[in-house]
Amino acid sequence: LVQIGLGVGDVQRIQKSPDGSKLICLTRGPDENYSIVVNDLESKESFALTSIRAKRMTASWHPDSKNIIFASSNPGLKDRWQTNIYSVRIPQLSISKLFGSNFLYKDFSFDENGEMLYFLSNYDNNYEVYRFNLQTQSQERLTISTHDETRLGFWTFSGI
């Protein structure tokens, strides 16, 4: 058992890398914004993943333990969100934006090969399951909720 001390604010969630060498910590600062800190368990060093801070964040390790996928979300217009999904390479800290949206995301997970990112997307408290192909950069919704099916205007009919 190893004890790690951090002066980074209120730690909300900790996730160990698949190879067991690092931790990512979702922390909340006094301004109520979140950030992500990486802790190297071997060197006992910690560093900020990026300078990005947001009202809502979620993150997950890629199965290769060399990449972290995270979403940063801030309030937008008309009860929408401004969300960006990023990939960060460790230890270089090279960041690339995968895509943006006006929805909230949570519960990132990967398939065994690390090619597909699965997540929940929330709009109007209506969660849907999506997957994002990291190779082709394409997104696909895997579920349709009863709320979607019964909402006026969801279905369009030709010739009526």
Side-chain angles (χ1 to χ4, degrees), residues 38-104:
V38 178
N39 294 291
D40 188 315
L41 297 175
E42 295 165 4
S43 70
K44 309 291 189 255
E45 294 179 2
S46 63
F47 52 90
L49 182 66
T50 74
S51 61
I52 295 172
R53 299 176 52 75
K55 288 294 179 191
R56 300 233 182 140
M57 291 186 98
T58 188
S60 186
W61 284 101
H62 187 273
D64 66 7
S65 295
K66 296 177 183 174
N67 292 285
I68 297 171
I69 304 291
F70 77 94
S72 69
S73 302
N74 285 302
L77 301 174
K78 295 184 180 179
D79 297 326
R80 301 270 176 129
W81 290 87
Q82 293 175 341
T83 299
N84 290 309
I85 313 302
Y86 300 95
S87 176
V88 181
R89 183 96 174 145
I90 303 292
Q92 299 86 353
L93 298 181
S94 56
I95 185 169
S96 60
K97 181 178 171 182
L98 299 176
F99 61 96
S101 173
N102 58 357
F103 301 106
L104 288 174

